[in-house]
Amino acid sequence: MKIIVVGTGFVGLPHAAILAEAGHEVYAYDIDPKKIAAYESGDRAQIEYFVNEPGLYEAIQETHGRYLHFTSSISQVIDETDVFFMCINTPPNRDGSTDLSYYLKAANDVAELLANRPTKNRVVLVNKSTVPIGTARLLERVLAEHGVENFGIASNPEFLAQGNAIDGSRRPDRVVVGADTPEDFQILRRVYSQFVNHVRIKYVETTPETAEAIKYMGNTLLLTYISFWNGVGARVAESLPNVRMEDLKIGVTADGRISTWGSYVSNGAGGSCFGKDIQSLIYQLNQAGCSTDLLQAVYNINEYQKTYLIDRAVHEGHFNFNQKTVALLGLAFKKRTNDMRDSAALKAVESLLSKGVKEIRTYDPLAMQAAQEYWFNPEKNHLFERITYHETVQDALAGSDAVFISTDWEEFRGLSRTIEKAVKPPYLVIDGRRMIPDYMTLVDKGYDFLAVGGPLLRKETAVAPSPNGLSPQAIPQKA
Ligand SMILES: NC(=O)c1ccc[n+]([C@@H]2O[C@H](COP(=O)([O-])OP(=O)(O)OC[C@H]3O[C@@H](n4cnc5c(N)ncnc54)[C@H](O)[C@@H]3O)[C@@H](O)[C@H]2O)c1
């Protein structure tokens, strides 16, 4: 199949590479010439600056020039294209609704070109972007208004998880295609021939609206589950006596009906999707006159979670952040990506600055360049000058009074020895990801330890660890 992928960001670029791997003739197009130049260069650092995903560079290298082509203009290659995948950003508006302006600009540009194409083969325009339910119909209207002939529209939402985009796209758990005609379903079956009739992959054919709704329902349910563990599981283990978070998790999820995925507790789920998608669904349901109390609570819990550990440090630990130096470990919204969009670290920085910290010493294995560009913007906030950037965990810890672990990078696991070497008590360790299983060694040596899903631990309040050494108990401090 001849395919044009419109938009080559975190979704479009991996998608184009995987389609090319399957032997399709793929043109990856973006309105941003810097991205196209970087991808075209074949240079790993330049490509990964925009999208850093394990296996992506190799997938591009394998196919670039043979099956995969990059272009900043599609007018020359549009003829005889079978399928367009729209992978355009759809950010939230202030009221939670979806900003479709980027998407509609791209749709109009493509429609204009398609209206004047020389050959009139069947062409299907497919939404991969997450778009409000009914947007495929909007796309249909845009194409019709431009006088495009012989076209179909489809919805084929993307379910990839960043950090696992390539593996996830090679082996998805499902492919959802919403279309109107047998002909269009057939064209999409040819695109995804390796997944149709697969023994494990669910290939779902449905209406465009159902496909759009599946995406929103899926993301909202995932965030609901995360927020249940954060808003209930963590609270139980933090506030009620003698409850061990790890044991709680294992015991509850032993029930075959309960998912183990998402049963971790954390300083909130970030990223460009969960927050915006739940807000968009709330907006769409409100517009339809439905109550959205549950969804609003889920959203609020997740936002609250991003800074509540800093507040606990103040209220439970009596830690005064004013004029203190804090090391912030992890800036990307999750491990294995350099994407900081809606990262919990952004909220932590805002909170720390508002509490008067002297310096925030940051470190992330992949996101340092993105971080410097994000915060090195004098227009945003002059307080950002208090953020400093470091090349190692040790550098970030040097001279700090407290550390906040915000992202679940593997290298932050078992940081206790590094902390012991770098900084001496009195010192506060805030573990937003429960990354330090042997935290009792720190507590025994006089460090204060505050993790999501556990009470504040301080030497005089701590008691012996459990037999497995991983879930020590503490008597919560008396007020
Ligand atoms: N990031 C994820 O993990 C993920 C997962 C599933 C679904 N989605 C959805 O996929 C969509 C894209 O997300 P993303 O993270 O890839 O966004 P992104 O911002 O990384 O990429 C969007 C790309 O579209 C390009 N673009 C914008 N306007 C254009 C135009 N008129 N013509 C051509 N290109 C244009 C931008 O330059 C950018 O490269 C969103 O709707 C998002 O909700 C994202």
Side-chain angles (χ1 to χ4, degrees):
M1 306 292 276
K2 182 173 175 186
I3 297 171
I4 294 183
V5 174
V6 185
T8 58
F10 287 90
V11 165
L13 187 61
H15 186 57
I18 295 301
L19 289 170
E21 251 183 18
H24 298 299
E25 181 186 354
V26 181
Y27 294 86
Y29 159 66
D30 203 286
I31 200 167
D32 182 348
K34 291 198 288 298
K35 284 193 179 178
I36 295 301
Y39 305 153
E40 191 60 34
S41 75
D43 177 60
R44 183 176 205 131
Q46 288 192 51
I47 296 170
E48 291 186 343
Y49 169 76
F50 287 109
V51 185
N52 198 325
E53 281 289 336
L56 173 65
Y57 170 72
E58 290 76 10
I60 291 175
Q61 234 188 357
E62 282 284 303
T63 50
H64 186 191
R66 292 193 302 143
Y67 298 105
L68 177 61
H69 312 273
F70 296 107
T71 178
S72 41
S73 160
I74 46 175
S75 53
Q76 301 302 315
V77 293
I78 200 161
D79 202 28
E80 294 187 339
T81 299
D82 300 293
V83 176
F84 282 76
F85 280 104
M86 307 294 284
C87 305
I88 303 294
N89 39 321
T90 52
N93 287 314
R94 272 179 183 278
D95 62 1
S97 62
T98 303
D99 176 358
L100 284 176
S101 58
Y102 304 95
Y103 169 84
L104 284 174
K105 157 122 183 60
N108 275 291
D109 289 352
V110 169
E112 203 170 311
L113 290 171
L114 278 177
N116 299 312
R117 65 190 165 138
T119 47
K120 303 291 181 214
N121 62 298
R122 181 82 176 167
V123 61
V124 187
L125 278 93
V126 186
N127 280 340
K128 264 220 160 293
S129 294
T130 305
V131 284
I133 297 148
T135 304
R137 293 288 160 233
L138 186 63
L139 179 62
E140 190 171 31
R141 279 207 298 281
V142 169
L143 293 159
E145 277 163 18
H146 280 82
V148 179
E149 292 170 52
N150 199 15
F151 72 87
I153 49 96
S155 168
N156 168 225
E158 179 57 65
F159 298 100
L160 67 78
Q162 279 179 241
N164 192 37
I166 292 296
D167 272 357
S169 302
R170 282 188 187 128
R171 282 174 286 278
D173 38 28
R174 79 208 110 158
V175 175
V176 174
V177 175
D180 289 323
T181 70
E183 198 179 358
D184 296 340
F185 281 120
Q186 189 52 36
I187 289 173
L188 267 301
R189 269 183 228 139
R190 286 182 61 199
V191 171
Y192 289 126
S193 57
Q194 76 270 39
F195 302 138
V196 180
N197 297 326
H198 194 283
V199 285
R200 192 189 51 78
I201 297 166
K202 291 199 172 70
Y203 194 88
V204 182
E205 293 186 334
T206 183
T207 66
E209 288 79 0
T210 310
E212 290 164 343
I214 287 171
K215 176 64 195 176
Y216 280 105
M217 275 287 293
N219 264 4
T220 304
L221 190 53
L222 292 175
L223 187 60
T224 303
Y225 197 66
I226 291 172
S227 286
F228 178 84
W229 277 101
N230 279 334
V232 182
R235 292 300 100 80
V236 167
E238 286 158 5
S239 315
L240 302 179
N242 217 17
V243 179
R244 300 174 179 174
M245 189 64 233
E246 273 73 23
D247 299 346
L248 183 69
K249 187 167 85 174
I250 294 166
V252 171
T253 58
D255 185 328
R257 295 166 300 177
I258 296 177
S259 157
T260 50
W261 182 92
S263 62
Y264 48 83
V265 291
S266 73
N267 53 332
S272 66
C273 291
F274 281 152
K276 102 171 153 59
D277 291 351
I278 195 167
Q279 284 185 83
S280 178
L281 187 56
I282 289 170
Y283 184 88
Q284 294 174 58
L285 286 170
N286 285 343
Q287 290 297 102
C290 304
S291 128
T292 49
D293 296 350
L294 172 66
L295 299 185
Q296 195 59 59
V298 167
Y299 176 76
N300 292 346
I301 288 167
N302 191 51
E303 289 307 297
Y304 171 77
Q305 205 68 11
K306 292 176 183 171
T307 53
Y308 94 113
L309 280 168
I310 295 170
D311 294 331
R312 279 184 68 198
V314 174
H315 297 123
E316 280 175 51
H318 306 291
F319 190 85
N320 182 358
F321 284 98
N322 193 35
Q323 290 304 306
K324 294 287 191 329
T325 295
V326 179
L328 178 59
L329 302 184
L331 304 173
F333 83 93
K334 67 195 288 201
K335 65 182 170 186
R336 295 202 288 264
T337 179
N338 58 349
D339 188 0
M340 286 178 59
R341 290 179 294 179
D342 212 11
S343 163
L346 299 176
K347 284 279 163 61
V349 162
E350 272 175 37
S351 169
L352 291 169
L353 290 175
S354 75
K355 290 183 169 42
V357 292
K358 185 168 70 185
E359 184 185 354
I360 303 174
R361 298 173 66 82
T362 61
Y363 167 73
D364 187 284
L366 282 186
M368 293 317 290
Q369 193 174 356
Q372 291 186 49
E373 283 170 16
Y374 183 86
W375 282 309
F376 185 72
N377 182 346
E379 277 170 28
K380 277 193 178 152
N381 187 341
H382 73 278
L383 290 177
F384 290 167
E385 289 159 12
R386 295 186 185 181
I387 302 167
T388 57
Y389 306 91
H390 301 274
E391 284 180 7
T392 62
V393 172
Q394 287 82 351
D395 282 354
L397 288 172
S400 60
D401 303 291
V403 59
F404 186 108
I405 302 170
S406 181
T407 311
D408 54 342
W409 284 106
E410 293 305 334
E411 77 168 271
F412 300 158
R413 254 177 226 294
L415 268 187
S416 47
R417 280 181 146 235
T418 314
I419 291 172
E420 274 177 46
K421 279 190 194 156
V423 283
K424 301 292 166 214
Y427 190 88
L428 173 64
V429 179
I430 306 176
D431 187 350
R433 297 283 181 157
R434 293 188 76 82
M435 297 296 283
I436 305 185
D438 60 341
Y439 47 85
M440 281 312 289
T441 59
L442 285 173
V443 176
D444 286 342
K445 288 176 180 150
Y447 296 83
D448 288 359
F449 188 84
L450 177 63
V452 56
L456 177 88
L457 297 174
R458 197 166 263 165
K459 195 169 185 183
E460 61 275 17
T461 63
V463 298
S466 68
N468 64 11
L470 293 177
S471 313
Q473 295 304 290
I475 302 161
Q477 275 197 311
K478 298 268 181 308

